Each structure stands twice: as structure tokens, then as C-alpha cells.
Amino acid sequence: MDLPKRKQNRLRENDYSQNGAYFITICTKVKKQIFGKIVGCGAFDAPQMSLSVIGKIVEKYIISSNNIKKISIDKYAIMPNHIHLIINVNENGGTSKAPSPTNALVPHFVSTLKRFVNKEVGENVFQRSYHDHIIRGEQDYQKIWQYIDSNAQKWDEDCFYIK
């Protein structure tokens, strides 16, 4: 019996031990909208995110992450049921033979962020995994930056949108 071929998680041409930028998306458990809501959808009021108490806890830990050596958060958006981040790895921190699909610092950061938020909230609010994308050059970086910037304005078109 032939087993189905699995899609490779890693890019063959990418050296995972090098510095780089990553686009990360972390969703809530069952896409529950607990981080806040989109407000200001009137004619003169641009849509923006209004954070809930849990959303403010998430933001606190994202902002405090910039004190971590070797990484920086270049851009982030907290949406009702997910978070987008551009994480920049500033120093070598992984190995090219690492089993994870990104530099070792990225999964460590995501795990730590989830753990701190969950501890303060008092329950697990995140789904088990997360989506990562290696940013491949300036054009890719700018496209993702713009996507994060306009995420609240396009919430009803978002793949994570649930009425």
C-alpha cells in the first residue's frame, strides 16, 4: 500500500540557521473571538480593533517581547480570534538541522507567548499550532506589512472571520 506523500514544511533553499524575518499567525482555540472586536465601521470612522481584557494581556506580552535578545517584533496585529506578527531573528539561534520548520527562536517565542498569556488568563486560549511563513525579501516583507496594517479594515473578508 502506497502512503500519501506529505508536503515538505521546510524550504530546500533556505538556511534555517541564518537571521531572517518570519510572518506568524496564531489562532485562538476553535477560532473563538476573545481578543476584542472590530469597531468604527461608519463613514468617517475607520475600522479598528478594540481589545478585550484578554487582548490587552496578549498585547502586553507582545510588546514586552522586544526586550528579548536575538528577536524583535517588527509589526503585529491582534484580531478578534488571531494574532499576526512579523518576527525578526537578529542573531543566529537555530541550526539548519532543527526539526521545526523555522529557526529555533521562533517556536520558542511562540511557545513562551502562549504560556505567559494562558497563565495570566487562567486557561488555554490558543490552538495547538501556528502558521509560519519565511519572509523572502523586501517585496514579500512589504506585502505582509501592508496585510497586517489593513487587517482590521478587511475583517469581514478575512479567512478567520466568523459572524
Side-chain angles (χ1 to χ4, degrees), residues 135-163:
I135 298 177
R136 300 174 191 100
E138 186 63 27
Q139 186 175 358
D140 195 23
Y141 187 92
Q142 292 302 324
K143 180 181 173 187
I144 292 166
W145 183 285
Q146 180 59 39
Y147 174 80
I148 291 173
D149 237 8
S150 64
N151 211 215
Q153 290 84 11
K154 298 179 181 180
W155 172 234
D156 58 348
E157 300 168 23
D158 195 292
C159 66
F160 299 114
Y161 176 74
I162 299 172
K163 285 187 177 188

Side-chain angles (χ1 to χ4, degrees), residues 21-141:
Y22 299 88
F23 175 44
I24 306 296
T25 300
I26 309 169
C27 294
T28 60
K29 237 183 194 178
V30 297
K31 310 280 189 302
K32 194 172 177 184
Q33 297 184 27
I34 57 172
F35 295 150
K37 61 183 178 178
I38 303 295
V39 297
C41 298
F44 300 107
D45 211 4
Q48 61 185 2
M49 186 64 186
S50 174
L51 297 176
S52 67
V53 171
I54 297 173
K56 289 177 183 176
I57 292 169
V58 170
E59 185 171 55
K60 174 178 78 172
Y61 287 110
I62 289 172
I63 291 169
S64 70
S65 301
N66 281 317
N67 296 326
I68 300 171
K69 290 182 180 180
K70 300 183 181 182
I71 68 163
S72 62
I73 308 300
D74 290 356
K75 183 81 172 163
Y76 71 92
I78 302 170
M79 297 298 290
N81 60 5
H82 64 282
I83 306 163
H84 292 302
L85 303 139
I86 295 177
I87 300 175
N88 196 358
V89 177
N90 302 317
E91 294 182 33
N92 294 343
T95 64
S96 59
K97 301 201 183 288
S100 64
T102 60
N103 188 301
L105 290 169
V106 175
H108 178 70
F109 164 79
V110 172
S111 174
T112 302
L113 174 68
K114 287 179 172 184
R115 187 173 61 249
F116 284 0
V117 170
N118 289 339
K119 184 176 181 180
E120 189 165 334
V121 171
E123 66 178 291
N124 182 9
V125 299
F126 295 102
Q127 73 177 16
R128 185 169 181 254
S129 191
Y130 62 94
H131 173 77
D132 62 78
H133 168 81
I134 299 167
I135 298 177
R136 300 174 191 100
E138 186 63 27
Q139 186 175 358
D140 195 23
Y141 187 92

